[in-house]
Amino acid sequence: MHGRKAYELVKEFADGEKGHLKIFNNELFERVIEECNEHHNALQSLIRKMQEEGLEVQTARNADHYGALIHHLSLIRNKRCLMAYVYNRAEIIRELAWKVGLLHELPGEIQEKFSDSEEQYFKDHSKSLKSYMSQLSLDVNVDMVPPKDPYIKVRVLEDLGSGIILSDKSANFARHSMHFLKRTDAEQYVARGLMEELTG
Amino acid sequence: MASGAGEWSAEQIDDYETLISTTDVELLKRAWRNEKASPEILPFEEALVKRAKEQIQLMEETVDDFAESGHDPLIASLYQMDLDRAQFLLRSYLRVRLQKIEKFMFHIWKMDTYRNRLSIEEEKFTERCIRDIGKYLEETVLSKLPDNYQSVLKQSIISEEDDMVPEPQLDTFVVAKCERATRPLYLDGSRQSASFDSSRDDHFQMVPGDLCILRYRPFQEELMSGNISLV
């Protein structure tokens, strides 16, 4: 069925939770690519057939012409679906690059959902962002929410030890310990899920 | 459209607005709001960003001095809060722009009007973005497709225009506030600056203080000239 597989691919992405990645569906993806090539072969053979019959491909309007047109349009549709799938995933990857990519490795459970080239793209894009910020000598990836109070209260969710020195102090960031930190310092840990902000 | 300026005369409001709107923080705030609300990327406020950065640096030094000299910690903390807000504004401004670039990089790159609105750093960033995503799309999809279908900008080789490029939606609705009286505006976006066509009655004029919700496109020029700002 024309375009069914590509539709499934896009549907799978659209059904996913917003901003979350599923494992790259390689199998389905390859099937759509295959289908593209099948369409292309069918298209080519129809055009050849028309040429053999001595018809002008551009102007002839017979059954073969419309057959070829359908294959062409199916191919284009498949291409759009493939691109939409990949491009929308790329948008999520860019978002991740903003949040975590500039300072740290991605957490394993996200990384395993990437395909190889997606991982490369994540790294490339993080580098581009980094180079922009170093040219400007200003970090644009902190201060993501408008500041209310320069200090926030956080609880440490994973054992971070005492290795981290923040701009104004160092402390033992043991698991479940609570701290009163500068918001700009704590933000990066909150983004990575290592600390949570306590409100109220 | 919106009602008049209430009890204050337009002149009074004008005076007040000019006074308030001349500080850099206000200017930056306005640039940030405009940038956030408009669907397309706006000209980069180079001089303003430069001044803001200098002022932030100055503030940082002041705060450091306060901390060292053991001055009243409350005052220091107030300075710190003010500093944080200024920094948020600047970062958020730059961030919104980068996010627009990420979204519309191909479109921005091929249109000179948009390209000229970027700062040097943003231009480099756009170039890298396009290179990165180009490489990535090439690897994952395009190289696997038949020859005539491999363009990143076009659906196939027979497309005459670039029909795979995301473009900003200029007909989206925005909330606009009038800063200075505007020229007569038409709802459909047609311009009538040279010869005013009095036979048409679907135009309107905004006076300072007016607030309108309308499509972005007719406001484009007024926004550039600073007659209106977006909220």
Side-chain angles (χ1 to χ4, degrees):
Chain A
M1 179 84 169
H2 290 251
R4 175 59 60 88
K5 288 269 177 280
Y7 161 77
E8 278 170 25
L9 192 67
V10 175
K11 185 93 172 98
E12 189 199 285
F13 177 84
D15 283 346
E17 208 177 322
K18 205 167 173 279
H20 286 247
L21 281 181
K22 288 185 181 163
I23 292 176
F24 192 91
N25 194 336
N26 223 349
E27 200 184 317
L28 194 55
F29 193 85
E30 290 302 326
R31 267 296 300 145
V32 181
I33 297 269
E34 232 172 84
E35 210 178 277
C36 285
N37 288 322
E38 281 163 22
H39 280 308
H40 192 239
N41 287 339
L43 178 74
Q44 294 289 352
S45 69
L46 280 174
I47 288 177
R48 261 199 306 279
K49 189 174 160 224
M50 284 167 79
Q51 277 164 344
E52 276 161 20
E53 284 166 6
L55 292 165
E56 190 60 52
V57 180
Q58 296 293 335
T59 52
R61 291 284 177 269
N62 61 358
D64 289 340
H65 167 83
Y66 291 109
L69 187 65
I70 298 266
H71 282 298
H72 169 73
L73 292 176
S74 304
L75 212 171
I76 281 183
R77 192 185 136 85
N78 277 356
K79 175 183 176 181
R80 285 211 307 268
C81 291
L82 288 170
M83 291 291 265
Y85 184 67
V86 170
Y87 189 83
N88 280 294
R89 287 178 66 92
E91 271 181 355
I92 298 181
I93 296 171
R94 285 205 293 263
E95 222 171 274
L96 285 168
W98 274 93
K99 282 189 194 144
V100 281
L102 300 146
L103 304 157
H104 315 280
E105 285 286 309
L106 268 181
E109 67 262 29
I110 298 181
Q111 202 149 15
E112 68 193 20
K113 290 179 178 156
F114 282 2
S115 68
D116 288 347
S117 21
E118 280 179 326
E119 203 180 321
Q120 187 57 44
Y121 179 61
F122 174 76
K123 281 183 193 146
D124 286 346
H125 195 73
S126 302
K127 262 187 231 152
S128 302
L129 270 175
K130 227 180 249 177
S131 105
Y132 169 83
M133 290 197 254
S134 65
Q135 281 170 45
L136 225 62
S137 50
L138 184 76
D139 290 344
V140 288
N141 64 323
V142 291
D143 259 342
M144 296 305 253
V145 286
K148 282 199 182 110
D149 201 314
Y151 290 89
I152 57 170
K153 214 178 193 180
V154 294
R155 188 188 356 243
V156 181
L157 297 174
E158 266 166 62
D159 215 337
L160 298 171
S162 49
I164 309 162
I165 298 158
L166 300 174
S167 56
D168 54 348
K169 60 180 167 187
S170 76
N172 184 18
F173 291 100
R175 195 165 173 204
H176 298 316
S177 59
M178 292 204 267
H179 302 270
F180 198 54
L181 299 177
K182 265 194 182 165
R183 200 180 32 75
T184 38
D185 291 335
E187 216 166 40
Q188 45 166 309
Y189 298 102
V190 176
R192 279 191 296 156
L194 302 177
M195 293 180 185
E196 67 175 352
E197 188 178 345
L198 301 172
T199 45
Chain B
M1 284 289 130
S3 63
E7 295 152 39
W8 296 338
S9 72
E11 210 173 315
Q12 267 176 314
I13 288 180
D14 257 356
D15 287 350
Y16 175 72
E17 299 268 287
T18 37
L19 188 73
I20 270 292
S21 62
T22 39
T23 66
D24 278 346
V25 175
E26 268 322 302
L27 288 175
L28 186 60
K29 217 187 267 179
R30 189 192 298 175
W32 171 69
R33 269 201 306 256
N34 284 346
E35 194 68 64
K36 257 190 116 108
S38 88
E40 58 173 1
I41 198 156
L42 300 173
F44 183 63
E45 302 273 356
E46 196 172 352
L48 180 61
V49 167
K50 191 162 168 276
R51 285 204 303 275
K53 276 172 89 174
E54 283 166 4
Q55 280 166 16
I56 284 174
Q57 209 172 0
L58 208 69
M59 283 267 280
E60 272 171 343
E61 283 162 21
T62 322
V63 170
D64 283 350
D65 284 352
F66 267 51
E68 270 170 34
S69 64
H71 215 278
D72 187 354
L74 176 66
I75 304 283
S77 140
L78 285 177
Y79 268 115
Q80 182 69 45
M81 271 164 86
D82 198 27
L83 177 63
D84 280 357
R85 287 194 186 127
Q87 268 180 326
F88 167 76
L89 218 50
L90 180 62
R91 284 182 176 137
S92 184
Y93 172 70
L94 297 170
R95 195 155 55 219
V96 171
R97 293 180 61 84
L98 288 193
Q99 279 157 354
K100 274 186 197 169
I101 292 177
E102 287 183 341
K103 214 165 169 189
F104 304 119
M105 47 188 144
F106 292 111
H107 188 62
I108 289 173
W109 201 244
K110 74 174 183 188
M111 306 267 287
D112 282 343
T113 30
Y114 286 134
R115 213 160 139 175
N116 292 335
R117 290 179 185 180
L118 304 180
S119 70
I120 302 166
E121 294 84 10
E122 283 169 345
E123 209 172 316
K124 279 188 196 142
F125 178 72
T126 318
E127 217 174 343
R128 288 188 67 147
C129 270
I130 289 179
R131 197 194 59 200
D132 293 344
I133 196 142
K135 188 179 126 205
Y136 165 59
L137 291 173
E138 179 76 37
E139 262 173 30
T140 2
V141 189
L142 298 170
S143 62
K144 295 174 187 163
L145 291 176
D147 274 352
N148 294 347
Y149 299 87
Q150 287 187 352
S151 164
V152 71
L153 302 176
K154 295 176 183 174
Q155 298 192 12
S156 79
I157 202 165
I158 54 168
S159 304
E160 276 159 21
E161 287 171 12
D162 296 343
D163 51 7
M164 292 268 290
V165 179
E167 290 178 15
Q169 177 57 268
L170 295 184
D171 282 324
T172 185
F173 283 91
V174 291
V175 182
K177 194 177 138 229
C178 186
E179 307 279 348
R180 288 192 296 263
T182 61
R183 292 182 294 105
L185 298 167
Y186 293 95
L187 293 175
D188 60 3
S190 58
R191 296 190 184 90
Q192 211 76 45
S193 44
S195 57
F196 179 61
D197 184 1
S198 54
S199 62
R200 286 183 63 173
D201 58 358
D202 61 341
H203 66 84
F204 69 102
Q205 211 165 353
M206 285 171 78
V207 292
D210 275 3
L211 204 61
C212 288
I213 303 176
L214 273 165
R215 288 184 196 283
Y216 175 75
R217 207 187 291 267
F219 286 118
Q220 226 168 353
E221 269 182 26
E222 297 294 320
L223 179 65
M224 294 300 161
S225 56
N227 287 345
I228 60 158
S229 66
L230 304 180
V231 266

